[in-house]
Amino acid sequence: MKYGSKTARFLAAATAAVIAGALVSCSAGSEIDPDEGIEGTTIRVTLANHVWTETIKEMIPEFEEETGAKVEISQLAEDQLSDQYNVKLNAGTDEIDVLMYRPLQENKLFASNGYLADLTELVENDEEFDWDDFQEGPAALTTYEDEVVGVPIITERTVLYYRKDLLEQAGLEVPTTLEELEAAAATIHEQNPDVAGYIGRTGKSAAVTQFSAFLFSSGGDFIGEDGTSVIGSDEAREAYTYYGDLIRNHTNATINPEMSWAEAFAVFQQGKAAFIADADSLYKNMIDPEQSTVADQVGFAAFPAGADGAKPYNVAAWALAVNDTSENQSAAWAFIKWATSKAQTIEMTKLGVTGARTSAWEDDAAIADFPAELVEAIKVNGENGVGKDRPLVIDVAKAREIVGDPIVVAIAGGDVDAAIDEASAAFDEFLLEDSE
């Protein structure tokens, strides 16, 4: 069993659990044989509460009938799931065969600690499975040190939501560049003083994910190739300043400094904003007339291009992996292969679950219930998208707090350069500690 340098943070919890008899002894795991028969095998699958989970559960009897295997589901809320993984995986449990996890938060932690089986040869050598069908961003996110350790099941990208009526009133086209977005926001607010030209997340941590699209499109990043902070680069400074100005300069309202997606969406839904760039997976909130007063006026567009082109995030919000200490790894892989196949992904897409397979977005039946404009935006963002929306580190929560601080200062109209200098120094110190 392999342990990474961050294992120590979980030792106290794991030791207490072992003393209490809550965990089984460590297993050496098993090799994955894709041709191995799994009839009579029990596959223990741990899943999060999610629409994907509810849907796949209804389909599992088909898998059991086809294979002769039995699937046992453990389903937990997101926080409970994380707590269980932190203890059980660290202790080398063989009680979990397949795990549903969050690559943005946990891929580096789990992979560096040796929790996830290497699936590289399995996904790359199976023509029927077709790993190349998975979009580059999500696929890169479930890869660690050139090893595929997970398969994306749920994805999201940055999409530009806009008010069709306000653009038409102003005689404007949909912005395709960040320069055009700022100009359109200014024009619409000038014509409609009670409407913000642009609204977005403002909370220190919450804003990082959406800010990332502005950062990448400006040519910036969070971490450089040498593993040090690059949020102090000219490109990053430009992105921080732009994002702050875009929200602050085109509204008469007092800006809530703690807005997450729900609060920012509410402003748009109430007809008080012309633009917002946020996750495409949330689109139903915008077009539901019970939630949105402007449901019939919402448009969707690809993320506008900055100095370095259009580079929104395109990430795997959730993925499936094989527990490296499972004794049923062949059966676990059989389940993942089935659950993430082209056929299953198309069925999930029909139900509104946005997946990572390109083929699903090209299937007319799968995308029939999506707004056509949104589908086009998803395709473009999928091709251009970057496989991250935050620093990919062990302690993601702390990293977001650090790099998010200049966002708050920029929105408030404070000394952005000073805030960036302070945050960059703190981020460098954090990166040293995080890599130990």
Side-chain angles (χ1 to χ4, degrees), residues 13-170:
T15 301
V18 171
I19 292 173
L23 300 177
V24 297
S25 60
C26 177
S27 165
S30 60
E31 294 297 322
I32 302 178
D33 180 357
D35 299 318
E36 180 180 322
I38 62 173
E39 184 174 358
T41 302
T42 297
I43 308 170
R44 294 156 300 181
V45 181
T46 300
L47 304 175
N49 289 339
H50 195 281
V51 64
W52 184 93
T53 298
E54 297 305 321
T55 305
I56 204 70
K57 282 165 60 178
E58 295 181 3
M59 300 176 176
I60 282 175
E62 301 173 13
F63 172 79
E64 292 177 323
E65 183 176 350
E66 291 174 6
T67 63
K70 177 177 175 56
V71 178
E72 288 185 356
I73 299 290
S74 295
Q75 185 174 341
L76 298 167
E78 189 171 320
D79 290 344
Q80 292 174 312
L81 193 70
S82 295
D83 291 342
Q84 182 175 108
Y85 287 160
N86 287 345
V87 175
K88 287 195 171 185
L89 294 177
N90 185 63
T93 183
D94 62 359
E95 293 178 341
I96 300 172
D97 299 318
V98 176
L99 58 143
M100 180 176 174
Y101 76 106
R102 303 167 300 171
L104 287 164
Q105 295 289 118
E106 298 159 336
N107 202 72
K108 184 173 183 179
L109 171 64
F110 287 2
S112 64
N113 280 350
Y115 300 159
L116 310 179
D118 181 6
L119 307 177
T120 309
E121 292 187 7
L122 294 166
V123 301
E124 292 183 350
N125 296 335
D126 190 325
E127 292 185 6
E128 179 186 8
F129 185 70
D130 191 6
W131 183 240
D132 289 337
D133 187 40
F134 286 81
Q135 294 173 344
E136 183 178 349
L141 190 54
T142 57
T143 300
Y144 179 73
E145 294 185 347
D146 298 325
E147 290 185 358
V148 178
V149 293
V151 180
I153 53 175
I154 300 158
T155 63
E156 58 183 38
R157 293 140 293 271
T158 328
V159 69
L160 182 66
Y161 298 87
Y162 68 91
R163 285 274 300 279
K164 295 179 179 179
D165 55 337
L166 294 178
L167 276 177
E168 183 178 356
Q169 175 188 316

Side-chain angles (χ1 to χ4, degrees), residues 294-317:
V294 293
D296 61 343
Q297 294 296 336
V298 177
F300 309 93
F303 190 78
D308 202 37
K311 293 186 176 179
Y313 65 73
N314 178 25
V315 298

Side-chain angles (χ1 to χ4, degrees), residues 163 165-167 169-170 184-197 250-252 271-274:
R163 285 274 300 279
D165 55 337
L166 294 178
L167 276 177
Q169 175 188 316
T187 297
I188 291 174
H189 175 59
E190 184 177 352
Q191 293 180 355
N192 305 270
D194 61 335
V195 174
H250 310 302
T251 181
N252 292 338
K272 297 299 183 181

Side-chain angles (χ1 to χ4, degrees), residues 185-235:
T187 297
I188 291 174
H189 175 59
E190 184 177 352
Q191 293 180 355
N192 305 270
D194 61 335
V195 174
Y198 183 91
I199 193 68
R201 304 186 192 190
T202 61
K204 183 185 299 186
S205 178
V208 170
T209 56
Q210 305 315 310
F211 166 72
S212 69
F214 295 86
L215 176 66
F216 302 150
S217 298
S218 299
D221 207 331
F222 297 110
I223 305 172
E225 293 183 1
D226 61 356
T228 62
S229 168
V230 290
I231 64 170
S233 68
D234 291 343
E235 294 81 2

